[in-house]
Amino acid sequence: PAVIVAKLKNVRRGLKRWSKGLCKLNLLIKNCNEVTMVLDKLEEIRPLFTQEKNLRIIIKNQIKRLLKYKNDLWRKRHS
């Protein structure tokens, strides 16, 4: 019984660590979306500079990567 309890505690610690990582991932996605929204609003006012356009491309690619990573985490969790 002590061995099983120790193993369950290890699993619990691992799940807590994983869960915290997922929260950070959601925060990163939220921040990237906010930057994209700011750039979109700015573009409504004036044309974006080249650096701003490049930043938006980089941010959108980062969002795609983060969403793919989040999807992969969910698949691993539910398999």
Side-chain angles (χ1 to χ4, degrees):
V3 173
I4 293 173
V5 170
K7 287 184 179 184
L8 287 174
K9 284 183 181 180
N10 283 336
V11 168
R12 182 175 178 216
R13 271 188 242 122
L15 286 173
K16 279 187 176 183
R17 225 173 323 174
W18 178 83
S19 176
K20 287 180 183 177
L22 190 59
C23 290
K24 290 177 185 175
L25 186 61
N26 288 333
L27 180 62
L28 283 172
I29 292 168
K30 180 181 174 230
N31 289 342
C32 286
N33 281 327
E34 287 178 5
V35 170
T36 302
M37 284 183 0
V38 168
L39 290 170
D40 288 344
K41 293 284 183 191
L42 188 61
E43 190 177 32
E44 290 175 8
I45 299 169
R46 63 164 174 81
L48 294 179
F49 295 120
T50 303
Q51 296 90 341
E52 294 166 335
K53 288 179 186 177
N54 290 338
L55 176 63
R56 184 165 50 185
I57 291 168
I58 291 168
I59 296 288
K60 285 187 176 188
N61 287 334
Q62 182 66 14
I63 291 171
K64 287 178 188 176
R65 272 183 258 143
L66 291 170
L67 290 172
K68 182 184 178 318
Y69 183 61
K70 184 177 178 181
N71 191 26
D72 291 346
L73 282 175
W74 280 106
R75 282 188 186 169
K76 287 179 184 177
R77 181 178 183 203
H78 294 292
S79 60

